[in-house]
Amino acid sequence: MQKGMRWWRIFLGRISAKDKDGKPCVTYVGPGGSGHFIKMVHNSIEYGEMQVLAELVHLLRFGFGCTPEQVSAIFSEWGQGELKSYLGEITANLLLFKENGELLVDKIMDQAGQKGTGAWSLTTALEYGVPYSPLSEAVNARAVSGEKALRVEFSKTFQHEFVKINDSLDEWLPRIKSAYSLARIINHEVGFRLMKTVSDTKNWNLNFKEIARIWTNGCIIRSGLMETIASRYETSLFEIPSIKQQVISVRRDLAELVGLGLSHGFALPVMSAGINYLLGRITAESSASLIQAQRDYFGAHTYQLKDDPSGKFYHTDWIQL
């Protein structure tokens, strides 16, 4: 069996894409099911990356008033540096494609399809208790887009219109770039955290640097960020020094861009979920203590106390207070 496996690896290696060092983007992942699993998570990250690009294009075109050509030029410029990615590249290209003099993307029905892998990742994350909100919102956004008739009706009922953003695009553009970069980091962190949790639980011992390496070429989410992950990942994207510093320095840009978009009538589900996910992950004292008190009040679900290191569970008869 090992001999047969080696033969297949040689064969697949010859026909596969190659990474920047010329190594085949193919590898042995792990026990049965693990290969399908990481492909599922790959597609989930892909959903998130596509949705973030769609959100940004919409905001730039109908908020800041950019032409498709201008937006294409922005993504093309970003693609020359650390933000290079296959999805960014094709987005820049399709914004220039015209049919009979009209932008083709504007003629396409705004109903995004899906084959199920994004939803499978979400149900797996729920099963393993892994926070997954940014990538789950990418799945939800496609579902919302599918209800075209209802959206048209509600847009009339609630008189929804985009509000033009009067702020200077030149002043905002560096911050939009930083916000986009951080949103992508969060998308990848969420996906890799799900893979690590499942790997640890099932004792798969997945090699995440190697997984990232084979994703650096020949796949839809190949990017400069993936190359960084392939060379520096240990236990979390947030532990990579350069990424850690980026999270610290630009998280306000993502938060304020989301606020700007929402206040001007733009739905930004993945970017919104991304900043909420990040803030939730870095908040030492959260609001969950109130939830535990509520649960204990109506259902005697008990709670633990911060100043009791024993981990003992308590219950209070709240009604008598």
Side-chain angles (χ1 to χ4, degrees), residues 183-212:
R184 296 187 63 236
I185 288 169
I186 294 169
N187 285 343
H188 286 70
E189 163 67 11
V190 170
F192 273 77
R193 184 162 185 241
L194 176 59
M195 288 193 293
K196 187 176 188 309
T197 299
V198 174
S199 175
D200 290 348
T201 303
K202 290 182 171 290
N203 295 315
W204 278 349
N205 297 313
L206 298 182
N207 183 333
F208 298 106
K209 284 185 177 179
E210 181 68 357
I211 290 169

Side-chain angles (χ1 to χ4, degrees), residues 65-320:
C66 295
T67 65
E69 291 80 9
Q70 287 173 317
V71 180
S72 176
I74 289 169
F75 284 122
S76 293
E77 180 183 349
W78 290 354
Q80 301 306 309
E82 62 181 20
L83 285 178
K84 69 175 182 178
S85 72
Y86 171 73
L87 284 170
E89 177 185 334
I90 68 169
T91 299
N93 289 341
L94 63 85
L95 284 169
L96 299 177
F97 192 93
K98 293 184 178 181
E99 187 176 80
N100 299 322
E102 296 180 283
L103 187 68
L104 180 56
V105 71
D106 284 348
K107 298 169 67 176
I108 296 173
M109 180 68 72
D110 54 327
Q111 292 178 295
Q114 53 184 312
K115 296 289 183 66
T117 45
W120 297 342
S121 295
L122 172 56
T123 56
T124 303
L126 291 171
E127 178 184 352
Y128 284 86
V130 176
Y132 216 65
S133 51
L135 300 184
S136 70
E137 281 302 319
V139 177
N140 292 335
R142 294 196 185 193
V144 170
S145 78
E147 298 182 320
K148 173 71 173 181
L150 189 59
R151 288 190 289 112
V152 171
E153 178 184 340
F154 280 171
S155 71
K156 296 175 182 176
T157 299
F158 297 105
Q159 301 177 8
H160 177 266
E161 293 182 353
F162 298 126
V163 179
K164 185 179 184 303
I165 297 172
N166 292 318
D167 297 21
S168 167
L169 176 62
D170 289 339
E171 292 180 5
W172 262 104
L173 203 52
R175 304 185 66 194
I176 294 172
K177 180 180 180 181
S178 295
Y180 172 50
S181 179
L182 180 54
R184 296 187 63 236
I185 288 169
I186 294 169
N187 285 343
H188 286 70
E189 163 67 11
V190 170
F192 273 77
R193 184 162 185 241
L194 176 59
M195 288 193 293
K196 187 176 188 309
T197 299
V198 174
S199 175
D200 290 348
T201 303
K202 290 182 171 290
N203 295 315
W204 278 349
N205 297 313
L206 298 182
N207 183 333
F208 298 106
K209 284 185 177 179
E210 181 68 357
I211 290 169
R213 185 193 68 77
I214 66 172
W215 287 351
T216 60
N217 201 6
C219 75
I220 292 175
I221 60 174
R222 60 185 184 267
S223 66
L225 174 58
M226 194 63 73
E227 291 177 3
T228 297
I229 298 170
S231 63
R232 303 178 188 176
Y233 184 90
E234 294 299 337
T235 59
S236 166
L237 268 70
F238 291 164
E239 294 300 321
I240 298 174
S242 60
I243 288 179
K244 183 188 298 185
Q245 186 55 48
Q246 194 171 353
V247 171
I248 293 170
S249 62
V250 306
R251 65 177 183 260
R252 184 172 177 177
D253 291 339
L254 179 55
E256 294 188 356
L257 180 65
V258 167
L260 181 73
L262 294 179
S263 65
H264 287 75
F266 291 86
L268 305 172
V270 171
M271 287 195 288
S272 299
I275 189 60
N276 278 307
Y277 173 88
L278 176 62
L279 293 176
R281 286 286 302 276
I282 65 177
T283 298
E285 297 292 334
S286 75
S287 60
S289 55
L290 180 62
I291 294 174
Q292 280 301 95
Q294 291 170 333
R295 294 179 71 241
D296 190 57
Y297 189 109
F298 65 67
H301 291 293
T302 72
Y303 54 85
Q304 295 169 291
L305 292 173
K306 297 176 183 177
D307 60 1
D308 184 351
S310 71
K312 177 182 175 182
F313 286 86
Y314 296 84
H315 168 63
T316 294
D317 187 356
W318 299 87
I319 297 177
Q320 294 183 5

